[in-house]
Amino acid sequence: KQEVTQIPAALSVPEGENLVLNCSFTDSAIYNLQWFRQDPGKGLTSLLLIQSSQREQTSGRLNASLDKSSGRSTLYIAASQPGDSATYLCAVAIVGGATNKLIFGTGTLLAVQP
Amino acid sequence: DAGITQSPRYKITETGRQVTLMCHQTWSHSYMFWYRQDLGHGLRLIYYSAAADITDKGEVPDGYVVSRSKTENFPLTLESATRSQTSVYFCASSARTGDYEQYFGPGTRLTVT
């Protein structure tokens, strides 16, 4: 059974710092890995999707890497800002039935202090 | 462009009542999903649908019923609500399967008393 773990569960950093969020998964047979952002009381916003054949994806100050063989992904946030404060979730897409299914980690709560 | 919407956003109901959560998307996406989010468990898939009139169970389907008569709508019904179904429910959609993103609605916070 695929399990997704995110470490740390919570992180507090000063503004301007570069930071790394970690995601690990137990089964390397995935279609893709997706990083989401969730603001308090809100839905999920997709940040980056890394296909199984890719090693990394970049969007602005965000860079996500994927190492399927070791079952790991990292989300790198450069020059963090208070507006980056949110919960960050990773999810892996696995094969099942008529479509891929997303298996989520429990998230990392990020606080960027001004 | 409304995207994906859910209603109601907040709902309080009593144990044993039937309650329906609505999900509507304007993209004509084929695939739609229902998740629940609970502390300590993250998001878990309840049901999904690959097209109109095609639905299948996810990880935690017990106590829930879905239907999909139209591509744009995917309602989730709790036939007899229990306190363990108190949760935040998210609907999502995806254009295709494979390497395609899922887009999420704003969620419905359901409390069963």
Side-chain angles (χ1 to χ4, degrees), chain B residues 14 22 25 37 43 65 67 83-85 87 98 104 106-107 112:
Chain B
E14 295 177 343
M22 303 301 295
Q25 52 104 354
Q37 185 176 33
L43 278 90
V65 174
S67 62
R83 289 199 179 93
S84 66
Q85 292 178 309
S87 186
F104 282 73
V112 182

Side-chain angles (χ1 to χ4, degrees), chain A residues 51-98:
Chain A
Q51 298 181 12
S52 59
S53 59
Q54 296 177 317
R55 297 282 293 182
E56 65 179 312
Q57 278 284 357
T58 298
S59 176
R61 294 183 294 107
L62 305 179
N63 176 277
S65 68
L66 174 64
D67 183 344
K68 276 188 12 175
S69 61
S70 67
R72 292 181 183 175
S73 176
T74 61
L75 179 65
Y76 175 83
I77 302 177
S80 59
Q81 303 170 358
D84 295 330
S85 298
T87 297
Y88 290 80
L89 299 164
C90 74
V92 297
I94 63 171
V95 179

Side-chain angles (χ1 to χ4, degrees), chain A residues 1 31-32 34 36 38 41-53 89 93 96-106, chain B residues 9-10 31 33 35 37 40-43 45 48 50 54 56-59 90 96-107 109:
Chain A
K1 180 183 175 183
Y31 264 108
N32 60 56
Q34 203 167 346
F36 295 88
Q38 185 175 27
K42 300 290 180 63
L44 281 66
T45 301
S46 180
L47 297 174
L48 290 165
L49 183 147
I50 310 176
Q51 298 181 12
S52 59
S53 59
L89 299 164
T99 186
N100 300 337
K101 299 183 178 68
L102 289 182
I103 307 296
F104 283 83
T106 51
Chain B
R9 294 293 316 279
Y10 303 90
Y31 295 88
F33 309 82
Y35 296 87
Q37 185 176 33
H41 289 282
L43 278 90
L45 181 65
Y48 67 94
I54 300 175
D56 205 352
K57 296 177 180 179
E59 182 184 354
F90 288 101
R96 300 176 189 175
T97 188
D99 291 327
Y100 288 86
E101 294 176 68
Q102 288 189 22
Y103 297 91
F104 282 73
R109 183 173 295 275

Side-chain angles (χ1 to χ4, degrees), chain B residues 17-34:
Chain B
R17 298 261 188 171
Q18 181 181 85
V19 60
T20 296
L21 310 183
M22 303 301 295
C23 178
H24 175 78
Q25 52 104 354
T26 60
W27 296 308
S28 298
H29 283 173
S30 295
Y31 295 88
M32 296 188 74
F33 309 82
W34 275 107

Side-chain angles (χ1 to χ4, degrees), chain A residues 11-17 19 37-40 61 77-88 109-114:
Chain A
L11 180 65
S12 180
V13 299
E15 182 177 3
E17 193 163 297
L19 59 98
R37 169 187 172 134
Q38 185 175 27
D39 293 288
R61 294 183 294 107
I77 302 177
S80 59
Q81 303 170 358
D84 295 330
S85 298
T87 297
Y88 290 80
L109 177 60
L110 173 65
V112 181
Q113 308 299 330

